[in-house]
Amino acid sequence: MNENDLDLDLDLEGQENNDRENDRAKKRLTNLSEKVKVTSEERDKVLKEKEALEAEKAALVKETEFFKNFNTLTNKYPGSAEYQDKIKEKVMSGYDVEDATISILAKEGKWQPQAQVTPKDSPAGGSATNTIKAEGDKPLAEMSQEEKRTALSDREAELLQIFNPNR
């Protein structure tokens, strides 16, 4: 066996196989990194769509609440129906329905503060109702000296009539 018979190109074949495996690994890594990039872009797109839908849902809820509350306020604040669009705009920007209504009506010069109704004072000064008894009998503490004397003599006459029916 001489040197010519031996195949000394074994190293070259091994290197070519190594190069092919390295190329496949590089292609695999490139392919995987592309998939990761595409997946993250899709995830970001889905998150943006979700946020847009949530914002739209919140706006619709605000609008529904506006109409529900605004209808009750039209009776309370006359003239508010004329400025419904402006009031709705303020409510959508974050104002409370009643605050927005008052704000717009005041700005337009149409707001008139409601007079507060004060309860009338009771003549007795208390919360109990005053009733007048049909019999006319007053408690002893409320009678004057003359009324006490008259009541005593009336009662005495009644008792005499009961115990002495002949008289």
Side-chain angles (χ1 to χ4, degrees):
M1 262 190 112
N2 83 32
E3 281 185 32
N4 291 340
D5 292 336
L6 290 176
D7 189 13
L8 297 177
D9 292 336
L10 287 176
D11 289 338
L12 293 176
E13 285 179 24
Q15 190 175 2
E16 286 176 13
N17 283 339
N18 245 355
D19 287 344
R20 274 187 257 147
E21 285 181 27
N22 282 342
D23 286 343
R24 278 194 306 175
K26 285 181 184 178
K27 284 181 184 178
R28 175 92 171 130
L29 284 175
T30 308
N31 201 9
L32 287 174
S33 66
E34 284 296 319
K35 283 183 180 181
V36 166
K37 189 186 290 184
V38 167
T39 304
S40 66
E41 288 173 357
E42 288 175 354
R43 182 195 65 221
D44 292 343
K45 181 181 175 184
V46 168
L47 284 175
K48 285 180 183 177
E49 289 175 356
K50 181 181 176 185
E51 288 173 359
L53 287 174
E54 287 176 358
E56 186 178 342
K57 178 183 174 186
L60 288 173
V61 167
K62 268 187 178 182
E63 189 173 351
T64 303
E65 288 295 319
F66 165 75
F67 285 116
K68 185 172 110 179
N69 294 330
F70 183 73
N71 288 336
T72 59
L73 289 176
T74 53
N75 294 335
K76 190 174 181 181
Y77 300 107
S80 59
E82 299 171 27
Y83 302 102
Q84 180 177 348
D85 293 334
K86 289 182 181 180
I87 295 170
K88 181 181 174 187
E89 206 173 291
K90 279 229 183 212
V91 169
M92 292 308 206
S93 69
Y95 274 73
D96 180 54
V97 178
E98 189 165 2
D99 292 341
T101 303
I102 292 171
S103 171
I104 294 296
L105 290 176
K107 184 178 178 182
E108 298 294 329
K110 302 284 184 173
W111 186 64
Q112 296 171 359
Q114 293 179 341
Q116 293 181 352
V117 177
T118 56
K120 294 183 178 178
D121 292 336
S122 170
S127 61
T129 58
N130 294 332
T131 57
I132 299 174
K133 295 180 183 175
E135 299 172 0
D137 292 339
K138 285 185 180 180
L140 193 58
E142 292 180 5
M143 290 185 181
S144 67
Q145 189 71 21
E146 184 63 33
E147 289 173 328
K148 287 179 184 177
R149 197 171 296 141
T150 308
L152 187 57
S153 64
D154 290 345
R155 184 71 176 148
E156 190 178 27
E158 286 176 23
L159 287 175
L160 283 175
Q161 191 103 65
I162 291 173
F163 289 113
N164 295 325
N166 297 336
R167 257 180 142 199

